[in-house]
Coordinates of all heavy atoms in Angstrom, one line a residue:
H1 N 81.7 90.7 87.2 CA 82.2 92.0 87.0 C 83.3 92.3 88.0 O 84.4 92.9 87.7 CB 81.2 93.1 87.0 CG 81.7 94.5 87.0 ND1 82.2 95.1 85.9 CD2 81.9 95.3 88.1 CE1 82.7 96.3 86.3 NE2 82.5 96.5 87.6
L2 N 83.0 91.9 89.3 CA 84.0 92.2 90.4 C 85.3 91.4 90.2 O 86.4 91.9 90.5 CB 83.4 91.9 91.7 CG 82.2 92.8 92.1 CD1 81.6 92.3 93.4 CD2 82.7 94.3 92.3
Q3 N 85.2 90.2 89.6 CA 86.4 89.5 89.3 C 87.2 90.2 88.3 O 88.5 90.3 88.4 CB 86.1 88.1 88.7 CG 85.5 87.1 89.7 CD 85.1 85.8 89.0 OE1 84.6 85.8 87.9 NE2 85.2 84.7 89.7
Y4 N 86.6 90.7 87.2 CA 87.2 91.5 86.2 C 87.9 92.8 86.8 O 89.0 93.1 86.5 CB 86.2 91.8 85.1 CG 86.8 92.6 83.9 CD1 87.7 92.0 83.1 CD2 86.4 93.9 83.7 CE1 88.3 92.7 82.0 CE2 86.9 94.6 82.6 CZ 87.9 94.0 81.8 OH 88.4 94.7 80.7
E5 N 87.1 93.4 87.6 CA 87.6 94.7 88.2 C 88.9 94.4 89.0 O 89.9 95.1 89.0 CB 86.6 95.3 89.1 CG 87.0 96.6 89.8 CD 85.9 97.1 90.6 OE1 85.0 97.8 90.1 OE2 85.9 96.9 91.9
R6 N 88.9 93.3 89.8 CA 90.1 92.9 90.6 C 91.2 92.6 89.7 O 92.4 93.0 90.0 CB 89.8 91.7 91.5 CG 89.0 92.1 92.8 CD 88.9 91.0 93.8 NE 88.2 89.9 93.3 CZ 86.9 89.7 93.4 NH1 86.1 90.6 93.9 NH2 86.3 88.6 92.9
Y7 N 91.0 92.0 88.6 CA 92.0 91.7 87.6 C 92.7 93.0 87.1 O 93.9 93.1 87.1 CB 91.5 90.8 86.4 CG 92.5 90.9 85.2 CD1 93.7 90.2 85.3 CD2 92.1 91.6 84.1 CE1 94.5 90.3 84.2 CE2 93.0 91.7 83.0 CZ 94.2 91.0 83.1 OH 95.1 91.1 82.0
I8 N 91.8 93.9 86.7 CA 92.3 95.2 86.1 C 93.1 95.9 87.2 O 94.2 96.4 86.9 CB 91.2 96.1 85.6 CG1 90.4 95.4 84.5 CG2 91.6 97.5 85.3 CD1 91.2 95.3 83.2
L9 N 92.6 96.1 88.4 CA 93.2 96.9 89.4 C 94.4 96.2 90.1 O 95.4 96.9 90.4 CB 92.2 97.2 90.5 CG 91.0 98.1 90.1 CD1 90.0 98.2 91.3 CD2 91.5 99.4 89.7
H10 N 94.4 94.9 90.2 CA 95.4 94.2 91.0 C 96.4 93.5 90.1 O 97.5 93.0 90.7 CB 94.8 93.3 92.0 CG 93.9 94.1 93.0 ND1 94.4 95.0 93.9 CD2 92.6 94.1 93.1 CE1 93.4 95.5 94.6 NE2 92.3 95.0 94.1
E11 N 96.1 93.3 88.9 CA 97.1 92.6 88.0 C 97.5 93.4 86.8 O 98.7 93.6 86.6 CB 96.5 91.2 87.5 CG 96.3 90.2 88.6 CD 95.8 88.9 88.2 OE1 96.4 88.4 87.1 OE2 94.9 88.3 88.8
L12 N 96.5 93.9 86.0 CA 96.9 94.6 84.8 C 97.5 96.0 85.1 O 98.6 96.3 84.6 CB 95.7 94.8 83.9 CG 96.0 95.5 82.6 CD1 96.9 94.7 81.8 CD2 94.7 95.8 81.8
L13 N 96.9 96.8 86.0 CA 97.5 98.1 86.2 C 98.9 98.0 86.9 O 99.8 98.7 86.5 CB 96.6 99.0 87.1 CG 95.4 99.5 86.3 CD1 94.4 100.3 87.3 CD2 95.8 100.4 85.2
P14 N 99.1 97.1 87.8 CA 100.5 97.0 88.4 C 101.5 96.5 87.3 O 102.6 97.0 87.3 CB 100.3 95.9 89.5 CG 98.9 96.1 89.9 CD 98.1 96.4 88.7
F15 N 101.0 95.7 86.4 CA 101.9 95.2 85.3 C 102.3 96.4 84.4 O 103.4 96.6 84.0 CB 101.2 94.1 84.5 CG 102.0 93.8 83.2 CD1 103.2 93.0 83.3 CD2 101.6 94.1 82.0 CE1 103.9 92.7 82.2 CE2 102.3 93.8 80.9 CZ 103.4 93.1 81.0
I16 N 101.3 97.2 84.1 CA 101.5 98.4 83.2 C 102.5 99.3 83.9 O 103.4 99.9 83.3 CB 100.2 99.1 82.8 CG1 99.4 98.2 81.9 CG2 100.5 100.5 82.2 CD1 98.0 98.7 81.7
R17 N 102.3 99.6 85.2 CA 103.2 100.5 86.0 C 104.6 99.9 86.0 O 105.6 100.6 86.0 CB 102.6 100.6 87.4 CG 101.4 101.5 87.4 CD 101.7 102.9 87.2 NE 100.5 103.7 87.4 CZ 100.3 104.8 86.8 NH1 101.2 105.3 85.9 NH2 99.3 105.5 87.0
W18 N 104.7 98.6 86.1 CA 106.0 97.9 86.1 C 106.7 98.1 84.7 O 107.9 98.4 84.7 CB 105.9 96.5 86.5 CG 107.1 95.7 86.3 CD1 108.2 95.7 87.2 CD2 107.5 94.8 85.3 NE1 109.2 94.8 86.7 CE2 108.8 94.3 85.6 CE3 106.8 94.4 84.1 CZ2 109.4 93.4 84.7 CZ3 107.5 93.5 83.3 CH2 108.7 93.0 83.6
K19 N 106.0 97.9 83.7 CA 106.5 98.1 82.3 C 106.9 99.5 82.0 O 107.8 99.8 81.2 CB 105.5 97.5 81.3 CG 105.3 96.1 81.2 CD 106.3 95.4 80.4 CE 106.3 95.6 79.0 NZ 107.3 95.0 78.2
N20 N 106.1 100.4 82.5 CA 106.2 101.9 82.2 C 106.3 102.7 83.5 O 105.2 102.9 84.0 CB 105.1 102.3 81.3 CG 105.0 101.5 80.0 OD1 105.7 101.8 79.1 ND2 104.1 100.6 80.0
Q21 N 107.4 103.1 83.9 CA 107.5 103.8 85.2 C 107.3 105.3 85.1 O 108.0 106.0 85.7 CB 108.9 103.4 85.7 CG 109.1 101.9 85.6 CD 109.8 101.2 86.7 OE1 110.5 101.8 87.4 NE2 109.5 100.0 86.8
T22 N 106.4 105.7 84.2 CA 106.1 107.1 84.1 C 104.9 107.4 85.0 O 104.0 106.5 85.2 CB 105.7 107.4 82.6 OG1 105.4 108.8 82.5 CG2 104.6 106.6 82.1
P23 N 104.8 108.6 85.5 CA 103.6 108.9 86.3 C 102.3 109.1 85.5 O 101.2 109.2 86.1 CB 104.0 110.2 87.0 CG 105.0 110.8 86.1 CD 105.7 109.7 85.5
R24 N 102.5 109.2 84.2 CA 101.3 109.4 83.4 C 100.7 108.1 82.9 O 101.4 107.2 82.5 CB 101.7 110.2 82.1 CG 102.2 111.6 82.5 CD 102.6 112.4 81.3 NE 103.8 111.7 80.8 CZ 104.4 112.0 79.7 NH1 104.0 112.9 78.9 NH2 105.5 111.3 79.3
L25 N 99.3 108.1 82.9 CA 98.6 106.9 82.4 C 97.3 107.5 81.8 O 96.6 108.3 82.4 CB 98.3 106.0 83.5 CG 97.3 104.8 83.2 CD1 98.1 103.8 82.3 CD2 96.9 104.1 84.5
S26 N 97.0 107.1 80.6 CA 95.8 107.5 79.9 C 95.0 106.2 79.6 O 95.6 105.2 79.3 CB 96.1 108.2 78.6 OG 96.7 109.4 78.8
V27 N 93.7 106.3 79.7 CA 92.8 105.2 79.4 C 91.7 105.7 78.5 O 91.3 106.9 78.6 CB 92.2 104.6 80.7 CG1 93.3 104.0 81.6 CG2 91.4 105.6 81.5
T28 N 91.2 104.8 77.8 CA 90.1 105.1 76.9 C 89.3 103.8 76.6 O 89.8 102.7 76.7 CB 90.6 105.8 75.6 OG1 89.4 106.2 74.8 CG2 91.4 104.8 74.7
G29 N 88.1 104.0 76.1 CA 87.3 102.9 75.7 C 86.1 103.3 75.0 O 85.7 104.5 75.0
C30 N 85.4 102.4 74.4 CA 84.2 102.7 73.6 C 83.0 102.2 74.4 O 83.0 101.2 75.0 CB 84.2 102.1 72.3 SG 85.6 102.6 71.2
S31 N 81.9 103.0 74.4 CA 80.7 102.6 75.0 C 80.9 102.2 76.5 O 81.4 103.0 77.3 CB 80.1 101.5 74.2 OG 78.8 101.2 74.6
F32 N 80.5 101.0 76.9 CA 80.6 100.6 78.2 C 82.0 100.5 78.7 O 82.4 100.7 79.8 CB 79.9 99.2 78.4 CG 79.4 98.9 79.7 CD1 79.1 99.9 80.7 CD2 79.2 97.6 80.1 CE1 78.6 99.6 81.9 CE2 78.7 97.3 81.4 CZ 78.4 98.3 82.3
G33 N 82.9 100.2 77.8 CA 84.3 100.1 78.1 C 84.9 101.5 78.5 O 85.8 101.6 79.4
G34 N 84.4 102.5 77.9 CA 84.7 103.9 78.3 C 84.3 104.2 79.7 O 85.1 104.8 80.5
Y35 N 83.1 103.8 80.0 CA 82.6 104.0 81.4 C 83.5 103.2 82.4 O 83.9 103.8 83.4 CB 81.2 103.5 81.5 CG 80.8 103.4 83.0 CD1 80.5 104.5 83.8 CD2 80.7 102.1 83.6 CE1 80.1 104.3 85.1 CE2 80.4 102.0 84.9 CZ 80.1 103.1 85.6 OH 79.7 102.9 87.0
Q36 N 83.8 102.0 82.1 CA 84.6 101.2 83.0 C 86.0 101.7 83.1 O 86.6 101.7 84.2 CB 84.7 99.7 82.5 CG 83.3 99.1 82.7 CD 83.2 97.7 82.1 OE1 84.0 97.3 81.2 NE2 82.3 96.9 82.5
C37 N 86.6 102.3 82.1 CA 87.9 103.0 82.2 C 87.9 104.0 83.3 O 88.8 104.1 84.2 CB 88.3 103.6 80.9 SG 88.9 102.5 79.6
G38 N 86.9 104.8 83.3 CA 86.8 105.9 84.3 C 86.5 105.3 85.7 O 87.1 105.7 86.6
E39 N 85.7 104.3 85.7 CA 85.4 103.7 87.0 C 86.6 103.1 87.6 O 86.9 103.3 88.8 CB 84.3 102.6 86.8 CG 84.0 101.7 88.0 CD 83.2 100.5 87.7 OE1 83.1 100.1 86.5 OE2 82.8 99.8 88.7
F40 N 87.4 102.4 86.8 CA 88.6 101.7 87.3 C 89.6 102.7 87.7 O 90.4 102.5 88.7 CB 89.1 100.7 86.3 CG 88.2 99.5 86.0 CD1 88.2 98.9 84.8 CD2 87.3 99.1 87.0 CE1 87.4 97.8 84.5 CE2 86.4 98.0 86.7 CZ 86.5 97.4 85.5
C41 N 89.7 103.8 87.0 CA 90.8 104.8 87.3 C 90.4 105.5 88.6 O 91.3 105.8 89.5 CB 90.9 105.8 86.2 SG 91.8 105.2 84.8
V42 N 89.2 105.8 88.9 CA 88.7 106.4 90.1 C 89.0 105.4 91.3 O 89.5 105.8 92.3 CB 87.2 106.8 90.1 CG1 86.7 107.1 91.5 CG2 87.0 107.9 89.1
E43 N 88.7 104.1 91.1 CA 88.9 103.1 92.1 C 90.4 103.0 92.4 O 90.9 103.0 93.5 CB 88.4 101.8 91.6 CG 88.6 100.6 92.6 CD 87.7 100.8 93.8 OE1 86.6 101.4 93.7 OE2 88.1 100.2 94.9
A44 N 91.3 103.0 91.3 CA 92.7 102.8 91.5 C 93.3 104.0 92.2 O 94.3 103.9 93.0 CB 93.4 102.6 90.1
S45 N 92.8 105.2 92.0 CA 93.3 106.4 92.6 C 92.8 106.6 94.0 O 93.3 107.5 94.8 CB 93.0 107.7 91.8 OG 91.6 107.9 91.9
G46 N 91.8 105.8 94.4 CA 91.3 105.9 95.8 C 90.4 107.1 96.0 O 90.1 107.5 97.1

């Protein structure tokens, strides 16, 4: 799980920010994925 979290926070989110230079970002997911969306966003925001 920690490997996946690092991928999301340090590879995927920076890539999304590079592709889309808007300050807005929305995330969503179903079931456990929904929980992880929130977890990762809190982690990314510090």
Side-chain angles (χ1 to χ4, degrees):
H1 170 76
L2 292 173
Q3 287 174 329
Y4 180 68
E5 180 179 279
R6 282 191 297 275
Y7 163 72
I8 296 293
L9 295 175
H10 301 292
E11 294 184 44
L12 183 62
L13 285 176
F15 173 75
I16 291 170
R17 290 287 187 208
W18 173 76
K19 290 279 289 178
N20 301 282
Q21 314 217 335
T22 179
R24 296 175 294 171
L25 174 67
S26 295
V27 296
T28 187
C30 298
S31 188
F32 206 22
Y35 165 77
Q36 290 173 340
C37 285
E39 173 193 11
F40 296 151
C41 284
V42 168
E43 181 72 26
S45 70

